[in-house]
Amino acid sequence: MLSIFKDFLLNLFFILLPVFLVPFWTEQEKGPKRLRLYLPTVCYAIVIVLCITLPVGTGNSYIFDLRQIPLWLGSLYGGTGAAACLAIVTITYRTLFGGIGIFITAIVSIVIAAASSLLTKKFERLPTKQRILLTTTLSFGSGLLTVALTGGMAPSALPPLSVSLMFLLVQPASMFIVCAFREMARHNIALRKRIIRAEKMEAVTHLAASISHEIRNPLTAARGFIQLIEEQPLAADKRRQYARIAMEELDRAEAIITDYLTFAKPAPETPEKLNVKLEIERVIDIIRPLANMSCVDIKTTLSPFSVMGEREKFRQCLLNVMKNAIEAMPNGGTLQVYVSIDDGRVLIRIADTGVGMTKEQLERLGKPYFTTKGVKGPGLAMMVVYRIIESMNGTIRIESEIHMGTTVSIYLPLASSLSSSLISDKEKQLFARYCKHNCPDC
């Protein structure tokens, strides 16, 4: 009896495999659409073949197994075409083994395919509990039909009564388990899709609200100063001051829009070879007035290694990181920018001596709309940085402690690893010399 139960469990294992694996594979939307459409039917056909190949060991000429469960499931969930295909596979493969069971298999398979074709549309509209109940009932009915046909057409082939009773109990119980798992997987996938849609809608809502809020402030200020210039008699120096403030507010609005567009745009399609040393020096020239205003001393240790990327985006990435570092030192400090080679990649390390961040702030860094500046920023600068570094096939690591400063380490592929023909002999010599002094094992 235990051996028979073990064989039923083996059949049940075969049936559960596609129930768990197929829905999640097809949900990923990988591969041709036609393949994903037919994959469940193919998997159920393979399971039917396995069940017939490894039946319950009754010591009798009749082949007892759980092939009817994948036949029911594939037919009810797949429709008329799947039902016909699975019925043909069942009858054809069972014919190879011979015996009176061929005719019984043919009758039962045709009945299951016909019943499934009639019930498919109704089955799709049923709630989960009623689906499970219906499949369990149908499975018990087809099992009862099988036992009755075997007793009527081939009494000598009928297994012992205990085996027949076990079959009539195990098949619907197995169907109940399999269908419950199938519905659970289907429900989880549907729930996941709803959550993804809800998150996308929430992101769009936040984006619209954030753009509206961030753009409205500088535009309102600019409009107010322009009205003052038009409506009131002003001295020339006052007029110039108001015009300058209005222009600064418009520039701030443009910068906000640029941040949003950079985050939304796809990765650059035409990267070029960039000299890291020259690009950093250019960014430092831009950021130096802000550093002077904040009493921040900029120290650099730069090497002329090259990376591949889009020039303006790379500069914006460096500018965002350095600007954040300077703003984190309102009472002055030191900004260190260091370039070297680490494990064959270009390392750009930007460290400040500012206020630092907590562990919770570090975990949220780079996520949409998170900022440590309160209402002073839309929380997009570091999100843009992450996006640009990712588009350049690089990685970023940030370390920080409260009142100890923050260190941003950017790792980018060396241009020579992407296109050996683009790197100069001088740069190769520099790289070799660096490796010799810093990593003798190279």
Side-chain angles (χ1 to χ4, degrees), residues 62 91 94-95 98-110 149 153:
Y62 186 79
I91 297 170
R94 178 60 184 86
T95 303
I100 190 66
I102 297 174
F103 301 103
I104 299 173
T105 298
I107 295 172
V108 174
S109 299
I110 292 172
L149 287 174
M153 298 177 64

PDB file of all heavy atoms in Angstrom, residues 62 91 94-95 98-110 149 153:
ATOM      1  N   TYR A  62      -3.617  -3.287 -16.134  1.00  0.00           N
ATOM      2  CA  TYR A  62      -4.204  -1.959 -16.333  1.00  0.00           C
ATOM      3  C   TYR A  62      -3.262  -0.899 -15.776  1.00  0.00           C
ATOM      4  O   TYR A  62      -2.724  -1.049 -14.680  1.00  0.00           O
ATOM      5  CB  TYR A  62      -5.570  -1.860 -15.648  1.00  0.00           C
ATOM      6  CG  TYR A  62      -6.281  -0.559 -15.950  1.00  0.00           C
ATOM      7  CD1 TYR A  62      -6.939  -0.367 -17.151  1.00  0.00           C
ATOM      8  CD2 TYR A  62      -6.250   0.474 -15.026  1.00  0.00           C
ATOM      9  CE1 TYR A  62      -7.576   0.826 -17.439  1.00  0.00           C
ATOM     10  CE2 TYR A  62      -6.887   1.675 -15.311  1.00  0.00           C
ATOM     11  CZ  TYR A  62      -7.544   1.837 -16.516  1.00  0.00           C
ATOM     12  OH  TYR A  62      -8.164   3.019 -16.793  1.00  0.00           O
ATOM     13  N   ILE A  91      -4.125   9.577 -25.777  1.00  0.00           N
ATOM     14  CA  ILE A  91      -4.543   8.355 -26.486  1.00  0.00           C
ATOM     15  C   ILE A  91      -3.381   7.764 -27.275  1.00  0.00           C
ATOM     16  O   ILE A  91      -3.143   6.547 -27.240  1.00  0.00           O
ATOM     17  CB  ILE A  91      -5.734   8.673 -27.407  1.00  0.00           C
ATOM     18  CG1 ILE A  91      -6.943   9.136 -26.582  1.00  0.00           C
ATOM     19  CG2 ILE A  91      -6.104   7.460 -28.251  1.00  0.00           C
ATOM     20  CD1 ILE A  91      -8.076   9.704 -27.410  1.00  0.00           C
ATOM     21  N   ARG A  94      -0.704   6.260 -24.900  1.00  0.00           N
ATOM     22  CA  ARG A  94      -1.224   5.050 -24.225  1.00  0.00           C
ATOM     23  C   ARG A  94      -1.293   3.872 -25.182  1.00  0.00           C
ATOM     24  O   ARG A  94      -1.126   2.706 -24.779  1.00  0.00           O
ATOM     25  CB  ARG A  94      -2.623   5.360 -23.647  1.00  0.00           C
ATOM     26  CG  ARG A  94      -3.306   4.184 -22.957  1.00  0.00           C
ATOM     27  CD  ARG A  94      -2.501   3.675 -21.784  1.00  0.00           C
ATOM     28  NE  ARG A  94      -3.123   2.498 -21.201  1.00  0.00           N
ATOM     29  CZ  ARG A  94      -2.941   1.246 -21.617  1.00  0.00           C
ATOM     30  NH1 ARG A  94      -2.139   1.021 -22.667  1.00  0.00           N
ATOM     31  NH2 ARG A  94      -3.525   0.243 -21.005  1.00  0.00           N
ATOM     32  N   THR A  95      -1.477   4.127 -26.489  1.00  0.00           N
ATOM     33  CA  THR A  95      -1.544   3.058 -27.488  1.00  0.00           C
ATOM     34  C   THR A  95      -0.237   2.273 -27.545  1.00  0.00           C
ATOM     35  O   THR A  95      -0.239   1.069 -27.845  1.00  0.00           O
ATOM     36  CB  THR A  95      -1.849   3.665 -28.873  1.00  0.00           C
ATOM     37  OG1 THR A  95      -3.074   4.411 -28.799  1.00  0.00           O
ATOM     38  CG2 THR A  95      -2.016   2.575 -29.924  1.00  0.00           C
ATOM     39  N   GLY A  98      -0.356  -0.904 -25.353  1.00  0.00           N
ATOM     40  CA  GLY A  98      -1.289  -1.977 -25.678  1.00  0.00           C
ATOM     41  C   GLY A  98      -2.277  -2.269 -24.556  1.00  0.00           C
ATOM     42  O   GLY A  98      -2.365  -1.556 -23.555  1.00  0.00           O
ATOM     43  N   GLY A  99      -3.052  -3.333 -24.735  1.00  0.00           N
ATOM     44  CA  GLY A  99      -4.020  -3.746 -23.724  1.00  0.00           C
ATOM     45  C   GLY A  99      -5.387  -3.126 -23.918  1.00  0.00           C
ATOM     46  O   GLY A  99      -5.583  -2.199 -24.723  1.00  0.00           O
ATOM     47  N   ILE A 100      -6.346  -3.623 -23.148  1.00  0.00           N
ATOM     48  CA  ILE A 100      -7.719  -3.151 -23.233  1.00  0.00           C
ATOM     49  C   ILE A 100      -7.856  -1.707 -22.745  1.00  0.00           C
ATOM     50  O   ILE A 100      -8.799  -0.988 -23.078  1.00  0.00           O
ATOM     51  CB  ILE A 100      -8.648  -4.081 -22.418  1.00  0.00           C
ATOM     52  CG1 ILE A 100     -10.118  -3.751 -22.686  1.00  0.00           C
ATOM     53  CG2 ILE A 100      -8.326  -3.957 -20.925  1.00  0.00           C
ATOM     54  CD1 ILE A 100     -10.542  -4.045 -24.093  1.00  0.00           C
ATOM     55  N   GLY A 101      -6.851  -1.276 -21.943  1.00  0.00           N
ATOM     56  CA  GLY A 101      -6.900   0.081 -21.413  1.00  0.00           C
ATOM     57  C   GLY A 101      -6.863   1.158 -22.474  1.00  0.00           C
ATOM     58  O   GLY A 101      -7.208   2.310 -22.202  1.00  0.00           O
ATOM     59  N   ILE A 102      -6.433   0.806 -23.692  1.00  0.00           N
ATOM     60  CA  ILE A 102      -6.407   1.788 -24.782  1.00  0.00           C
ATOM     61  C   ILE A 102      -7.797   2.351 -25.028  1.00  0.00           C
ATOM     62  O   ILE A 102      -7.993   3.564 -25.162  1.00  0.00           O
ATOM     63  CB  ILE A 102      -5.839   1.153 -26.063  1.00  0.00           C
ATOM     64  CG1 ILE A 102      -4.385   0.728 -25.862  1.00  0.00           C
ATOM     65  CG2 ILE A 102      -5.947   2.133 -27.233  1.00  0.00           C
ATOM     66  CD1 ILE A 102      -3.803  -0.037 -27.028  1.00  0.00           C
ATOM     67  N   PHE A 103      -8.785   1.444 -25.107  1.00  0.00           N
ATOM     68  CA  PHE A 103     -10.163   1.875 -25.407  1.00  0.00           C
ATOM     69  C   PHE A 103     -10.745   2.686 -24.251  1.00  0.00           C
ATOM     70  O   PHE A 103     -11.441   3.683 -24.468  1.00  0.00           O
ATOM     71  CB  PHE A 103     -11.037   0.654 -25.696  1.00  0.00           C
ATOM     72  CG  PHE A 103     -10.536  -0.163 -26.856  1.00  0.00           C
ATOM     73  CD1 PHE A 103      -9.849  -1.355 -26.639  1.00  0.00           C
ATOM     74  CD2 PHE A 103     -10.740   0.260 -28.161  1.00  0.00           C
ATOM     75  CE1 PHE A 103      -9.384  -2.106 -27.708  1.00  0.00           C
ATOM     76  CE2 PHE A 103     -10.275  -0.483 -29.231  1.00  0.00           C
ATOM     77  CZ  PHE A 103      -9.588  -1.670 -28.998  1.00  0.00           C
ATOM     78  N   ILE A 104     -10.427   2.242 -23.020  1.00  0.00           N
ATOM     79  CA  ILE A 104     -10.925   2.994 -21.860  1.00  0.00           C
ATOM     80  C   ILE A 104     -10.300   4.384 -21.824  1.00  0.00           C
ATOM     81  O   ILE A 104     -10.982   5.397 -21.590  1.00  0.00           O
ATOM     82  CB  ILE A 104     -10.595   2.223 -20.564  1.00  0.00           C
ATOM     83  CG1 ILE A 104     -11.283   0.853 -20.582  1.00  0.00           C
ATOM     84  CG2 ILE A 104     -11.013   3.030 -19.330  1.00  0.00           C
ATOM     85  CD1 ILE A 104     -10.894  -0.055 -19.433  1.00  0.00           C
ATOM     86  N   THR A 105      -9.004   4.457 -22.096  1.00  0.00           N
ATOM     87  CA  THR A 105      -8.323   5.754 -22.138  1.00  0.00           C
ATOM     88  C   THR A 105      -8.908   6.655 -23.215  1.00  0.00           C
ATOM     89  O   THR A 105      -9.107   7.853 -22.999  1.00  0.00           O
ATOM     90  CB  THR A 105      -6.816   5.547 -22.397  1.00  0.00           C
ATOM     91  OG1 THR A 105      -6.254   4.801 -21.319  1.00  0.00           O
ATOM     92  CG2 THR A 105      -6.091   6.884 -22.508  1.00  0.00           C
ATOM     93  N   ALA A 106      -9.180   6.069 -24.377  1.00  0.00           N
ATOM     94  CA  ALA A 106      -9.743   6.854 -25.479  1.00  0.00           C
ATOM     95  C   ALA A 106     -11.102   7.430 -25.103  1.00  0.00           C
ATOM     96  O   ALA A 106     -11.383   8.620 -25.336  1.00  0.00           O
ATOM     97  CB  ALA A 106      -9.849   5.994 -26.730  1.00  0.00           C
ATOM     98  N   ILE A 107     -11.966   6.593 -24.515  1.00  0.00           N
ATOM     99  CA  ILE A 107     -13.309   7.065 -24.142  1.00  0.00           C
ATOM    100  C   ILE A 107     -13.231   8.170 -23.091  1.00  0.00           C
ATOM    101  O   ILE A 107     -13.863   9.229 -23.223  1.00  0.00           O
ATOM    102  CB  ILE A 107     -14.160   5.875 -23.635  1.00  0.00           C
ATOM    103  CG1 ILE A 107     -14.404   4.869 -24.767  1.00  0.00           C
ATOM    104  CG2 ILE A 107     -15.488   6.372 -23.069  1.00  0.00           C
ATOM    105  CD1 ILE A 107     -15.063   3.588 -24.312  1.00  0.00           C
ATOM    106  N   VAL A 108     -12.445   7.914 -22.038  1.00  0.00           N
ATOM    107  CA  VAL A 108     -12.358   8.897 -20.941  1.00  0.00           C
ATOM    108  C   VAL A 108     -11.725  10.204 -21.437  1.00  0.00           C
ATOM    109  O   VAL A 108     -12.188  11.298 -21.093  1.00  0.00           O
ATOM    110  CB  VAL A 108     -11.557   8.306 -19.766  1.00  0.00           C
ATOM    111  CG1 VAL A 108     -11.346   9.371 -18.682  1.00  0.00           C
ATOM    112  CG2 VAL A 108     -12.273   7.104 -19.177  1.00  0.00           C
ATOM    113  N   SER A 109     -10.670  10.114 -22.246  1.00  0.00           N
ATOM    114  CA  SER A 109      -9.999  11.320 -22.748  1.00  0.00           C
ATOM    115  C   SER A 109     -10.928  12.150 -23.625  1.00  0.00           C
ATOM    116  O   SER A 109     -10.950  13.386 -23.531  1.00  0.00           O
ATOM    117  CB  SER A 109      -8.745  10.931 -23.532  1.00  0.00           C
ATOM    118  OG  SER A 109      -7.828  10.243 -22.702  1.00  0.00           O
ATOM    119  N   ILE A 110     -11.703  11.482 -24.481  1.00  0.00           N
ATOM    120  CA  ILE A 110     -12.649  12.204 -25.347  1.00  0.00           C
ATOM    121  C   ILE A 110     -13.729  12.872 -24.513  1.00  0.00           C
ATOM    122  O   ILE A 110     -14.129  14.015 -24.780  1.00  0.00           O
ATOM    123  CB  ILE A 110     -13.256  11.240 -26.384  1.00  0.00           C
ATOM    124  CG1 ILE A 110     -12.176  10.787 -27.374  1.00  0.00           C
ATOM    125  CG2 ILE A 110     -14.408  11.901 -27.130  1.00  0.00           C
ATOM    126  CD1 ILE A 110     -12.617   9.698 -28.324  1.00  0.00           C
ATOM    127  N   LEU A 149     -15.806   1.800 -16.343  1.00  0.00           N
ATOM    128  CA  LEU A 149     -15.509   1.236 -17.663  1.00  0.00           C
ATOM    129  C   LEU A 149     -14.559   0.049 -17.550  1.00  0.00           C
ATOM    130  O   LEU A 149     -14.702  -0.947 -18.273  1.00  0.00           O
ATOM    131  CB  LEU A 149     -14.885   2.312 -18.555  1.00  0.00           C
ATOM    132  CG  LEU A 149     -15.829   3.409 -19.061  1.00  0.00           C
ATOM    133  CD1 LEU A 149     -15.050   4.487 -19.799  1.00  0.00           C
ATOM    134  CD2 LEU A 149     -16.897   2.811 -19.972  1.00  0.00           C
ATOM    135  N   MET A 153     -15.680  -3.414 -19.092  1.00  0.00           N
ATOM    136  CA  MET A 153     -15.033  -3.888 -20.312  1.00  0.00           C
ATOM    137  C   MET A 153     -13.943  -4.919 -20.047  1.00  0.00           C
ATOM    138  O   MET A 153     -13.679  -5.788 -20.890  1.00  0.00           O
ATOM    139  CB  MET A 153     -14.425  -2.693 -21.068  1.00  0.00           C
ATOM    140  CG  MET A 153     -15.444  -1.677 -21.509  1.00  0.00           C
ATOM    141  SD  MET A 153     -14.697  -0.248 -22.325  1.00  0.00           S
ATOM    142  CE  MET A 153     -13.985  -1.009 -23.772  1.00  0.00           C
TER     143      MET A 153
END
